[in-house]
Amino acid sequence: MRIKLMILLLTIAFIFAGTRVYDIEPYKNVNAWSPYMGFIGQTFVATCDSFVWAEIFIGARCRHPEGWYYAEISEYPIGDWVVRGRNIATAKYEYARIIFTERNLNVKVKKGRTYFLKITHSNGDSINFYYDPNENIDLKVLKIKI
C-alpha cells in the first residue's frame, strides 16, 4: 500500500512540476507607484522553454479594482510578444498571479534569450509595487513559472 501511495504521489509531482525562472522577494518596506497610464516591467533570461504564469507583489489596491492587471512577455529588446494574460486587480499587500492564457504560436521561447515582462492596468491606473533600491531594474518582485 505504501509503495502504491508513493508511486501516486511521485506521478502527481511529475505532472504538476514546474521551475521558477526568476524570483525576487519583497525588499523591506520599499514600494512605489508606477506612473499613471504607465507600466512596470522587468527583463530576465529564460532558463526554460515555456511560461505559465507571473506574479507581482502588489502593495496597495489601485483606484480601479474592478479593472484588470495585464501581463505580457515579449522578446527583448524589440520583438514579438510570446505570452499574455490577465487577472482582476483586487490584490492588496499580496501576490497577484497572472496566468498566461494567450500564446503566440509563431514565437518559440529559447533558453538563454532575454525577455521582457510588462505589467499594465486595464484602466491605465498606476500600480503599486515593491522594489529593491540596490538593484538597477524596474520591477523588483517577479515570479515566472514554466
Side-chain angles (χ1 to χ4, degrees), residues 86-136:
R86 69 179 186 170
N87 191 358
I88 192 80
T90 57
K92 179 180 178 182
Y93 204 73
E94 64 185 328
Y95 281 98
R97 178 177 290 181
I98 302 170
I99 298 173
F100 299 122
T101 55
E102 295 180 58
R103 304 196 184 288
N104 186 345
L105 300 177
N106 297 323
V107 179
K108 300 271 189 220
V109 177
K110 296 180 183 169
K111 293 179 184 178
R113 179 173 273 179
T114 302
Y115 292 90
F116 181 70
L117 171 71
K118 180 178 179 181
I119 308 282
T120 57
H121 189 278
S122 61
N123 293 340
D125 203 350
S126 59
I127 303 169
N128 185 271
F129 65 99
Y130 276 69
Y131 67 98
D132 183 343
N134 300 317
E135 296 286 335
N136 189 21

Side-chain angles (χ1 to χ4, degrees), residues 9 40 59 62 74 138 143:
L9 291 174
I40 52 179
C62 59
S74 59
D138 297 325
K143 293 181 181 179

Side-chain angles (χ1 to χ4, degrees), residues 20-26 40 42 52-58 69 71 73 87 91 94-100 117 119 127 129-130 139-145:
R20 191 171 289 166
V21 174
Y22 191 81
D23 186 15
I24 297 178
E25 294 301 320
I40 52 179
Q42 173 68 58
V52 177
W53 75 67
E55 294 179 330
I56 176 175
F57 192 85
I58 303 295
Y69 289 128
I73 294 179
N87 191 358
E94 64 185 328
Y95 281 98
R97 178 177 290 181
I98 302 170
I99 298 173
F100 299 122
L117 171 71
I119 308 282
I127 303 169
F129 65 99
Y130 276 69
L139 175 62
K140 307 303 181 190
V141 179
L142 164 67
K143 293 181 181 179
I144 299 174
K145 186 162 177 122

Side-chain angles (χ1 to χ4, degrees), residues 1-60:
M1 180 66 176
R2 287 184 185 175
I3 294 173
K4 288 181 183 179
L5 181 60
M6 185 62 96
I7 291 171
L8 176 65
L9 291 174
L10 287 173
T11 303
I12 291 171
F14 282 117
I15 291 172
F16 293 104
T19 302
R20 191 171 289 166
V21 174
Y22 191 81
D23 186 15
I24 297 178
E25 294 301 320
Y27 180 84
K28 298 182 182 178
N29 194 20
V30 181
N31 67 333
W33 288 91
S34 67
Y36 187 71
M37 297 297 286
F39 67 90
I40 52 179
Q42 173 68 58
T43 59
F44 64 94
V45 176
T47 59
C48 59
D49 55 9
S50 66
F51 304 117
V52 177
W53 75 67
E55 294 179 330
I56 176 175
F57 192 85
I58 303 295

